[in-house]
């Protein structure tokens, strides 16, 4: 068996060499020959640091703001990989507790990315490429509601994390005082048509919900699941709707509604029912009926 002292020295040498390499790279970048004067990939020693490092690739302002330390505090409270850690750290970032952002919307978007990165342990692209952006749209009575723009890479999060991301966004919506989405019959039926078009004409979904299931979820989800068009072909029906910006098929919403929320609904409910009231998420009780 290897000597523990030798093993410790081995890892200390690796850490020293990596640190020296980064310092050299920083000096090289400062000379101004590259488009950026910083090293793109920060060092991350654990999952909390990895979460922040991943999202900092699109918002360097997050680095050095004690977010990893706060994640570890929340893990002490709830346990590692607990969904509630993702919800709380997302909301705190959205409220600009750690740093200021260029806009209120940017703060909420970054909070969502941090939360999704935590749900996926900071190792996949879904927080950056699967969640595209947050849009604010108007309800029928002119109140602001959340529209989540998803793309295909959200599937790299896995079905459960992809589904929890919707709860996470809704948690921020509720705590920040935004209205719930109010879909009409055409918008709900558009989701039915689009999921079946995607399944039949693009690629088979791992789980294709029934028409009743799609209508039920579309009616009760308090945020709009949307996305940019991913296919050249248009949906077969329910086109030219005011609050859906494209007639083309969108992979993001199809994957999130079908393979995430619908497929993982029972798993979501088993966890959510334990602490939904504590997090002001009682309106998600529709999952029990689903």
């Amino acid at each position: 068996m290897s000597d523990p002292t030798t093993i410790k020295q081995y890892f200390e040498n690796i850490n020293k060499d990596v640190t020296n390499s980064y310092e050299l790279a920083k000096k090289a970048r400062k000379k101004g020959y590259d488009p950026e004067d910083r090293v793109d990939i920060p060092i991350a020693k654990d999952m909390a640091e990895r979460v922040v490092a991943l999202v900092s690739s699109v918002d360097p302002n997050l680095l050095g703001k004690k977010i990893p330390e706060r994640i570890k505090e929340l893990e002490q409270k709830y346990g590692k990989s607990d969904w509630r850690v993702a919800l709380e750290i997302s909301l705190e970032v959205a409220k600009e507790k750690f740093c200021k952002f260029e806009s209120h919307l940017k703060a909420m978007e970054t909070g969502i990315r941090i939360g999704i990165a935590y749900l996926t342990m900071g190792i996949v692209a879904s927080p950056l490429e699967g969640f595209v952006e947050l849009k604010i749209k108007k309800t029928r009575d002119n109140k602001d509601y959340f529209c989540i723009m998803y793309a295909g890479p959200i599937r790299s999060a896995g079905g459960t994390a992809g589904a929890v991301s919707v709860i996470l966004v809704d948690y921020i919506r509720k705590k920040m005082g935004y209205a719930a989405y109010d879909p009409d019959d055409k918008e709900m039926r558009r989701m039915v048509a689009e999921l079946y078009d995607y399944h039949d004409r693009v690629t088979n979904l791992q789980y294709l919900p029934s028409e009743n299931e799609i209508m039920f979820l579309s009616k009760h989800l308090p945020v709009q699941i949307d996305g940019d068009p991913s296919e050249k072909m248009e949906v077969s029906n329910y086109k030219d709707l005011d609050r859906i910006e494209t007639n083309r098929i969108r992979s993001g919403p199809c994957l999130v509604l079908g393979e995430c929320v619908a497929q993982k609904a029972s798993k979501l409910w088993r966890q959510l029912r334990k602490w939904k009231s504590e997090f002001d998420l009682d309106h998600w009780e529709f999952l029990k009926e689903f």
Side-chain angles (χ1 to χ4, degrees), residues 186 190 234-242 246-247:
K186 287 184 178 180
R190 161 66 182 266
E234 293 189 345
V235 290
S236 56
N237 208 342
Y238 299 101
K239 303 178 183 181
D240 301 322
L241 303 182
D242 291 342
T246 181
N247 289 329

Side-chain angles (χ1 to χ4, degrees), residues 10 25 27 45 51 56 114 133 151 153 175 245 272:
Y10 169 74
K27 290 179 181 178
K45 296 179 181 177
V51 164
S56 73
I114 286 285
E133 65 175 313
K175 291 298 185 180
E245 298 170 13
L272 194 56

Side-chain angles (χ1 to χ4, degrees), residues 35 113 159 247 251:
R113 293 191 199 282
N247 289 329
S251 63

Side-chain angles (χ1 to χ4, degrees), residues 15 17-23 26 39-46 49-50 53 63:
N15 186 58
D17 289 344
V18 169
T19 302
N20 289 339
S21 296
Y22 265 78
E23 289 303 317
K26 288 177 183 177
V39 179
D40 290 313
I41 305 174
I43 299 173
K45 296 179 181 177
D46 53 35
E49 291 187 9
R50 197 163 62 234
L63 293 173

Side-chain angles (χ1 to χ4, degrees), residues 130 150-156 158-160 162-163 166 191 194-195 198 202-207 209 225-226 230-231 249-264:
Y150 284 110
I154 191 62
R155 197 61 184 87
S156 67
T160 301
V166 181
M191 290 308 304
E194 194 158 358
L195 260 77
Y198 183 81
V202 181
T203 186
N204 285 357
L205 288 166
Q206 189 179 74
Y207 179 74
I225 296 176
D226 203 337
S230 60
E231 314 302 323
I249 293 174
R250 306 159 294 164
S251 63
C254 294
L255 292 167
V256 171
L257 196 63
E259 294 189 351
C260 297
V261 179
Q263 188 175 25
K264 301 296 182 179

